[in-house]
Amino acid sequence: MSSQTIGQSDNFPRIGIRPVIDGRCNGVRESLEDQVMGMARRAAELISAELKYPDGTPVQCVIADTTIGGCVEAAACAEKFARDNVGVSLSVTPCWCYGSETMDITPAIPKAVWGFNGTERPGAVYLAAVLAAHAQQGLPAFGIYGRDVQDRDDTSIPADVREKIIRFVKGGLAVAMMRGKSYLSIGSSSMGIAGSFVDSNFFRSTLGIRTENMDMCEIDRRVEKGIYDAQEFERALKWTRKYCKEGKDANKKSIQHNRAQKDANWEYVVKMTIIMRDMMIGNPRLSELGYPEEALGRCAIAAGFQGQRQWTDYKPNGDFSEAILCSSFDWNGIRAPYIVATENDSLNGVCMLLMYLLTNRAQIFADVRTYWSPDAVKRVTGKKPTGINKNGFIHLLNSGAATLDACGKQRVKGKPAMKPYWEITEREAGACLNATRWCPANLEYFRGGGFSSSLLSEGGMPLTMTRISIVKGVGPVLQIAEGWSTKLPADVNKILMQRTDSTWPCTWFVPRVTGKGAFRDVYSVMANWSANHGAISYGHIGADVTTLASMLRIPVAMSNVDENDIFRPHSWSLFGSASPESADFRACAAYGPLYRN
């Protein structure tokens, strides 16, 4: 099979470090060379030590060949960065420099400037001057400036500066890694869901991603013609039979598939999984089989499968394929997850992709299904919720295609977690498989059969749920809700699950409420959510998502992220400082999509 995951390590974008200096020679510049280059090296060391690419290797940095004292050296740095695949730009300096002569003017590359807070040289003055130049030229840049004054010979990077550098680079890398890739739409619109009407202009102008479209019949063609690696299929089917345990068949006995039909469906969905992956990223093995075109794939960093209803009315559903692809392990071992959106909800797929690129962790796709109030729980179960559940909770329930990582059987410091794949142990992967049952599909929904991943997320995981919706006249708008997975008493869980499809993957979610606005209470979160789906990531990463959204010029309309943690380009404050949410809308509208040209 192909060794690709989401991108190849040789092609991952690098971080460009620009050491900027006062260009006045014969005394000034010479005295600053070591200090300026030292800042650049320390920034590079920090980034490479803290951040990893999706394949688990350290993020690579490129430092300009010389310090940058004027436009000639700035141009030479830009040429070097273009050759070295630099996708993110960080300028550093402890001193005054000539602002518009030394700034990075490369369009569409995220930019930040770290100005050293010291008294010997006016690094803060340069920072203010160059950020003003960025604003005036329509090139948003992030400003990084430590809260406390440092001595000139202090080579440490303060905690607040470290946090901003890392947050900026995370978001910048996500922008750069998406650029030039594809979203593969397998099928078209699913049941009238707006997000499954793939908006190619949004993908191109906002994300820098092209859209590729393939009819679902391509899957059936490849099955019928044998356009897949037969040896891998045999290995995959053997693995599936061993580790993917079949669950209860909740269908009426009169319509249940017999054993032969179920076995045939198992073989088909395993082939589907291999084929969908090959359609995304290609597979050189296909070229050996005489299919060089199919071997190329579609350079897809994310995909979506329509499924319902034109496919699922007569073919096995896509739940197994979506769940396994979105998980961090399969018959080839522990590996990076893929991003595949259920029902081809491309906007939810984008949210999964953004959070994956920020965290390198598998993502949950779910229906934002039901708000359970304390009174409703008491009426139905006889028990009133307590503790974290006392104000009610939201039921995140998928149609059977959630990542298996969502069960929370991986561990960080002994607590339930979803980890980057290179941190997952074989035992943890096995525990996720053991916690999942593959229930025969609801034949009233999925007439062609198939199998749905049935699992229950452990409680106590910090989670962030996001959603992008496109609003006519406004464009893309983002919502963010941080909270936790929660555990219900076993009898309460059973009763509530019996009121819906108990064979589907379940996560009980309690958002963090603030007492005001859309986060006044748990009900308000549900009432203000903009679509039927949500993308859910492990960790409280709302601040990172906010920074990334500002780089893409996607305003945030709903968020429970602390205002003190919001980090956006410096010019955002010039659109109004009293209400960061309103300023975000005005700034994004003024700058327009990142790739609008």
Side-chain angles (χ1 to χ4, degrees):
M1 64 169 287
S2 170
S3 62
Q4 299 178 38
T5 53
I6 294 184
Q8 299 177 8
S9 58
D10 288 345
N11 294 326
F12 285 137
R14 295 168 176 161
I15 311 303
I17 312 293
R18 306 176 72 254
V20 187
I21 200 167
D22 190 328
R24 289 173 287 196
C25 295
N26 299 322
V28 177
R29 179 167 186 160
E30 294 82 355
S31 68
L32 293 165
E33 287 282 356
D34 290 345
Q35 186 180 8
V36 174
M37 274 297 188
M39 280 185 71
R41 286 191 292 269
R42 291 194 297 278
E45 290 166 359
L46 169 68
I47 292 165
S48 294
E50 293 289 328
L51 297 178
K52 289 182 170 57
Y53 290 123
D55 66 352
T57 59
V59 169
Q60 297 179 15
C61 297
V62 176
I63 300 175
D65 291 334
T66 69
T67 53
I68 301 168
C71 61
V72 172
E73 289 151 330
C77 175
E79 291 176 3
K80 177 183 176 67
F81 285 3
R83 292 192 305 269
D84 290 350
N85 193 28
V86 166
V88 185
S89 170
L90 173 64
S91 300
V92 303
T93 191
C95 61
W96 167 254
C97 316
Y98 296 170
S100 58
E101 297 180 16
T102 58
M103 64 186 281
D104 184 349
I105 60 172
T106 308
I109 287 184
K111 301 167 181 58
V113 184
W114 170 26
F116 184 78
N117 185 359
T119 56
E120 290 81 5
R121 298 281 184 178
V125 178
Y126 168 74
L127 178 62
V130 78
L131 291 174
H134 277 282
Q136 191 165 330
Q137 295 187 33
L139 297 169
F142 290 78
I144 301 173
Y145 181 63
R147 177 175 292 274
D148 298 318
V149 172
Q150 293 180 259
D151 297 332
R152 179 178 178 176
D153 58 359
D154 185 348
T155 59
S156 66
I157 302 179
D160 59 336
V161 173
R162 292 168 64 94
E163 181 180 1
K164 288 182 176 179
I165 289 175
I166 294 302
R167 183 158 293 152
F168 163 74
V169 172
K170 278 184 182 179
L173 270 177
V175 171
M177 283 191 283
M178 288 188 289
R179 191 179 299 127
K181 300 297 192 304
S182 302
Y183 175 87
L184 175 58
S185 174
I186 305 175
S188 58
S189 62
S190 175
M191 302 181 296
I193 294 170
S196 67
F197 290 83
V198 181
D199 188 332
S200 61
N201 183 63
F202 160 69
F203 274 89
R204 181 190 58 79
S205 62
T206 299
L207 306 175
I209 293 177
R210 69 174 72 228
T211 51
E212 294 286 307
N213 299 277
M214 300 183 76
D215 195 283
M216 291 182 289
C217 69
E218 173 64 7
I219 293 174
D220 204 39
R221 183 183 79 92
R222 295 194 186 198
V223 171
E224 292 297 320
K225 300 291 186 181
I227 309 174
Y228 55 87
D229 185 338
Q231 292 180 345
E232 182 184 3
F233 165 67
E234 292 299 329
R235 186 173 71 253
L237 184 62
K238 181 178 180 181
W239 178 91
T240 300
R241 286 171 173 163
K242 181 176 181 180
Y243 294 109
C244 297
K245 306 301 182 183
E246 200 170 301
K248 69 176 182 178
D249 191 337
N251 293 291
K252 299 174 185 176
K253 289 189 176 181
S254 60
I255 64 171
Q256 287 182 6
H257 285 173
N258 60 37
R259 188 68 257 163
Q261 288 173 308
K262 289 176 180 178
D263 289 342
N265 282 344
W266 272 118
E267 293 186 13
Y268 198 95
V269 298
V270 171
K271 291 176 183 177
M272 276 181 67
T273 307
I274 294 171
I275 289 168
M276 287 169 64
R277 182 207 63 207
D278 290 350
M279 291 166 68
M280 288 181 68
I281 66 169
N283 188 341
R285 173 69 177 137
L286 301 184
S287 187
E288 298 172 12
L289 298 174
Y291 298 98
E293 183 181 357
E294 290 84 349
L296 295 174
R298 294 299 177 117
C299 196
I301 194 170
F305 178 65
Q306 174 196 333
Q308 298 185 74
R309 284 189 42 215
Q310 288 77 13
W311 179 270
T312 56
D313 275 2
Y314 85 112
K315 289 288 185 182
N317 64 19
D319 286 2
F320 178 82
S321 299
E322 293 160 11
I324 290 296
L325 288 170
C326 286
S327 298
S328 300
F329 39 84
D330 62 14
W331 45 86
N332 291 310
I334 297 172
R335 46 98 177 129
Y338 298 87
I339 301 299
V340 183
T342 299
E343 294 159 355
N344 198 26
D345 186 346
S346 61
L347 297 181
N348 215 54
V350 167
C351 291
M352 294 169 69
L353 174 61
L354 298 183
M355 294 192 292
Y356 168 69
L357 293 175
L358 288 170
T359 65
N360 294 322
R361 302 171 195 262
Q363 301 296 308
I364 304 172
F365 184 111
D367 288 347
V368 185
R369 192 103 175 171
T370 310
Y371 163 67
W372 277 99
S373 69
D375 290 341
V377 175
K378 178 70 176 345
R379 179 181 64 81
V380 170
T381 69
K383 293 184 177 181
K384 196 156 188 176
T386 59
I388 191 175
N389 303 322
K390 65 180 180 181
N391 295 317
F393 42 83
I394 294 173
H395 197 181
L396 304 178
L397 187 75
N398 201 308
S399 58
T403 171
L404 274 57
D405 299 61
C407 65
K409 296 300 181 183
Q410 299 160 26
R411 290 290 185 266
V412 172
K413 296 181 179 179
K415 296 182 179 180
M418 297 168 63
K419 302 196 294 190
Y421 82 90
W422 58 84
E423 295 180 3
I424 299 172
T425 66
E426 292 286 350
R427 183 175 182 177
E428 289 171 330
C432 292
L433 288 162
N434 288 334
T436 305
R437 289 296 178 267
W438 296 94
C439 298
N442 182 335
L443 293 176
E444 293 178 356
Y445 277 7
F446 306 115
R447 298 172 188 172
F451 300 90
S452 298
S453 58
S454 177
L455 58 85
L456 175 63
S457 297
E458 289 199 28
M461 289 192 291
L463 299 176
T464 300
M465 183 167 72
T466 65
R467 174 69 193 192
I468 288 176
S469 290
I470 295 178
V471 181
K472 187 174 182 178
V474 178
V477 175
L478 178 67
Q479 295 176 305
I480 303 171
E482 294 184 339
W484 300 267
S485 64
T486 187
K487 182 179 180 180
L488 305 183
D491 55 343
V492 173
N493 178 80
K494 182 177 181 180
I495 292 171
L496 298 188
M497 283 298 292
Q498 286 175 341
R499 295 177 65 94
T500 182
D501 196 315
S502 60
T503 67
W504 290 350
C506 164
T507 303
W508 303 106
F509 177 63
V510 177
R512 184 177 63 247
V513 297
T514 64
K516 59 183 180 180
F519 290 90
R520 181 171 58 255
D521 50 30
V522 178
Y523 170 80
S524 297
V525 177
M526 179 77 179
N528 282 278
W529 204 248
S530 65
N532 54 309
H533 293 148
I536 301 95
S537 181
Y538 176 85
H540 287 160
I541 62 167
D544 291 337
V545 175
T546 301
T547 294
L548 172 55
S550 68
M551 293 176 178
L552 298 170
R553 287 78 180 273
I554 301 175
V556 177
M558 170 180 165
S559 171
N560 58 354
V561 175
D562 191 310
E563 285 191 9
N564 294 321
D565 293 329
I566 293 176
F567 186 41
R568 291 180 171 130
H570 185 264
S571 59
W572 259 235
S573 64
L574 299 177
F575 290 87
S577 59
S579 175
E581 189 174 281
S582 297
D584 191 25
F585 272 84
R586 288 191 290 273
C588 291
Y591 286 114
L594 184 59
Y595 305 101
R596 56 183 168 182
N597 294 326

